[in-house]
Amino acid sequence: MNFFAIIGRVILALLGEIGRLALFTWSSVSHIFRPPFFWRLLGQQMMRIGYFSLPVVALTAFFTGGALALQIYYGGSTINSESIVATIVALGITRELGPVMAGLMVAGRVSAAIAAELGTMKVTEQIDALTTLSTNPYKYLVVPRLVAAVITLPLLVFIADVIGVMGGFIVSTASLHFNPGVYVQNTINFLKADDVTSGLIKAGVFGFIIALMGCFQGFNSKGGAQGVGRATTNAVVTASILILASNYVMTSLLFAK
Amino acid sequence: MTDTPKIELKNVTKRFGSKVVLDDLSLVVPKGKSLVVIGGSGTGKSVMLKCVLGILRPEKGEIFVDGQNVLKMSTTEREQSLRKFGMLFQSAALFDSLPVWQNVAFGLIQGRKMRRKEAKEIAIAKLAKVGLGAEVSELYPAELSGGMQKRVGLARAIATDPEIIFFDEPTTGLDPIMADVINDLIVDSVKDLGATALSITHDMASARKIADEIAMIHKGRIIWAGPRSEIDSSGNDYVDQFIHGRATGPIKMDVLKP
Ligand SMILES: Nc1ncnc2c1ncn2[C@@H]1O[C@H](COP(=O)(O)OP(=O)(O)OP(=O)(O)O)[C@@H](O)[C@H]1O
Ligand SMILES: [Mg+2]
């Protein structure tokens, strides 16, 4: 086949996919604000997306904070290292690594689970059945997941921030023999509220991306077990890429001088 | 003109890619009547029901429910109109994350905002109608046999006492006695509730029992329609071949002969 025809086909398919995603996003968001609301399902999803992600996120944050402290110590000058390590760990975790690491971990856990669940419902006609029972599938399935993720991701990231900074603290004091009091003082002196809130804003956006990609891929899966498997993979991959890309955009917007 | 038909499909065409599944199909379901559509596997029967329900959108044609064109409705109007319907899916399509009683009560609890306790009582009564005891109500769909799932699907379809009920192969997978019980139930639902029924079946015994009228679909078109009493004297070779289940005739099955 003609080389240009192949490129054209790929671009058309990509544009089609973007269009479908835009429509899906619009339908989902517009249903958030229109009753009926399924509170019980929202609670359920907050447990599943938020609470059950806690261990994964906490462990990730702890080791990231610790490794970050070591790297800064090894790489940075030994002069002033006590103040530099504390500051960079605090800023790095709250501004970038906390939200991004938590976002990626939750994307792996939650986007996949959502895509598999909704994908199975799709191929077994359960989503069609919802429609015939006067229940809008967007309201019943998508909205609770979307809202739950947007609410719980910032909470998770806040916890990740605390644990990540603590990881840096523990490594610095136990293994690098820094003075604990000075470390804490440096952290408090340099960390501003903006650093934390910017990370939490990012987290909200990542939550939206995670739930949206899971639902979108699930709703669009077709053709049995293989289709559901493909939807699951696609959900994780697209959610992760979108998280990293949107993180870059948000960093450049939030910290532009 | 005395009565607008309950459902009317006019020149409906639905294709998947280049494959035409419904080809200029027209069909009328009169109010309070039971219409049975017969036809070979893969001729577009399930697709036709899904077009009426708005699950699939036809490329061409019009679909009227109570005289209103549902394809021109806004989403909200469409949702409102769907409240009239109950549907039994060919694959039952039960919610596997919910126990049986919540499946049956789903339309009552989520669709009509009924209290759970009240809805559960109705669900158990409907389950009894399809021959399932209260002990089944706490089980999950995966714990049921195929025929039991079908009956739960049936109970779910009639739980809200809808005006219009679609049955996609209600008796497939049931033993002959249970099949007859279900046939009676469908006849009763239409008579007692004054509902309009549109059923699909391959089972001629069932068709003869539940139909007021019969239509035959072939290659995405209705090729014959008439009252049940005329099915044996239709003079249509396709219909004759189908109701007598002959392998030879005008309908060719795509199978490779050795
Ligand atoms: N979502 C879909 N995407 C692509 N093709 C489809 C889809 N749904 C149905 N078809 C095709 O449409 C045709 C008709 O399907 P349909 O399910 O209506 O058959 P049917 O008449 O109900 O058959 P059966 O009696 O076996 O249930 C089939 O050839 C099928 O391959
Ligand atoms: Mg079918």
Side-chain angles (χ1 to χ4, degrees), chain B residues 41-42 44-47 90 168-169 200 202:
Chain B
S41 198
K45 303 183 298 295
S46 300
V47 168
Q90 187 170 359
D168 196 344
E169 308 201 2
I200 288 172
H202 298 141

Side-chain angles (χ1 to χ4, degrees), chain A residues 122 125 128 222, chain B residues 14-17 19-22 37-50 56 90 168-169 200-202 217:
Chain A
K122 168 76 186 183
E125 299 185 311
D128 295 343
K222 35 183 164 291
Chain B
K14 172 73 198 167
R15 48 170 89 84
F16 293 104
K19 179 173 180 172
V20 179
V21 176
L22 299 182
V37 176
I38 57 174
S41 198
T43 46
K45 303 183 298 295
S46 300
V47 168
M48 179 183 77
L49 293 191
K50 288 180 186 169
L56 295 172
Q90 187 170 359
D168 196 344
E169 308 201 2
I200 288 172
T201 190
H202 298 141
I217 187 173

Side-chain angles (χ1 to χ4, degrees), chain B residues 137-214:
Chain B
S137 66
E138 299 296 340
L139 298 179
Y140 281 84
E143 298 169 297
L144 306 178
S145 76
M148 288 163 93
Q149 291 183 5
K150 198 96 195 194
R151 283 185 276 159
V152 174
L154 192 62
R156 185 174 72 178
I158 59 172
T160 54
D161 296 334
E163 291 170 37
I164 305 168
I165 319 179
F166 287 178
F167 300 103
D168 196 344
E169 308 201 2
T171 55
T172 330
L174 303 181
D175 66 80
I177 303 170
M178 189 46 75
D180 206 48
V181 171
I182 297 303
N183 288 335
D184 284 335
L185 183 77
I186 293 173
V187 173
D188 287 349
S189 312
V190 176
K191 261 205 237 107
D192 298 351
L193 308 172
T196 305
L198 174 54
S199 320
I200 288 172
T201 190
H202 298 141
D203 171 2
M204 281 314 296
S206 169
R208 285 172 200 277
K209 187 146 186 184
I210 64 180
D212 295 316
E213 296 188 28
I214 297 181

Side-chain angles (χ1 to χ4, degrees), chain A residues 74-223:
Chain A
Y74 296 149
S77 68
T78 34
I79 320 150
N80 277 339
S81 68
E82 291 209 7
S83 84
I84 287 176
V85 169
T87 334
I88 299 186
V89 165
L91 292 186
I93 291 285
T94 54
R95 286 180 170 194
E96 293 291 333
L97 290 170
V100 172
M101 296 300 269
L104 291 177
M105 294 311 284
V106 179
R109 234 194 119 250
V110 171
S111 290
I114 293 177
E117 187 183 6
L118 301 194
T120 306
M121 290 186 74
K122 168 76 186 183
V123 300
T124 56
E125 299 185 311
Q126 292 180 52
I127 295 184
D128 295 343
L130 276 178
T131 313
T132 69
L133 292 164
S134 336
T135 306
N136 187 306
Y138 285 95
K139 285 202 178 76
Y140 186 79
L141 296 173
V142 180
V143 169
R145 287 168 173 78
L146 217 49
V147 175
V150 171
I151 295 175
T152 53
L153 252 277
L155 297 175
L156 280 173
V157 166
F158 186 77
I159 295 169
D161 286 351
V162 174
I163 294 178
V165 170
M166 218 155 67
F169 171 80
I170 290 175
V171 168
S172 305
T173 50
S175 151
L176 306 177
H177 307 295
F178 288 3
N179 180 323
V182 176
Y183 190 98
V184 170
Q185 196 56 51
N186 277 325
T187 304
I188 293 171
N189 282 351
F190 281 93
L191 198 60
K192 288 193 290 297
D194 281 356
D195 299 321
V196 179
T197 42
S198 69
L200 299 188
I201 292 170
K202 286 178 173 181
V205 174
F206 297 163
F208 186 82
I209 291 173
I210 288 166
L212 185 76
M213 293 324 291
C215 293
F216 176 68
Q217 298 292 351
F219 266 53
N220 282 301
S221 62
K222 35 183 164 291

Side-chain angles (χ1 to χ4, degrees), chain B residues 18-68:
Chain B
S18 59
K19 179 173 180 172
V20 179
V21 176
L22 299 182
D23 182 12
D24 215 23
L25 178 141
S26 298
L27 183 69
V28 173
V29 190
K31 192 169 180 193
K33 288 282 193 293
S34 168
L35 177 89
V36 170
V37 176
I38 57 174
S41 198
T43 46
K45 303 183 298 295
S46 300
V47 168
M48 179 183 77
L49 293 191
K50 288 180 186 169
C51 284
V52 179
L53 290 167
I55 294 167
L56 295 172
R57 200 173 175 85
E59 278 78 37
K60 268 199 284 200
E62 295 169 301
I63 298 173
F64 296 93
V65 175
D66 284 325
Q68 286 177 295

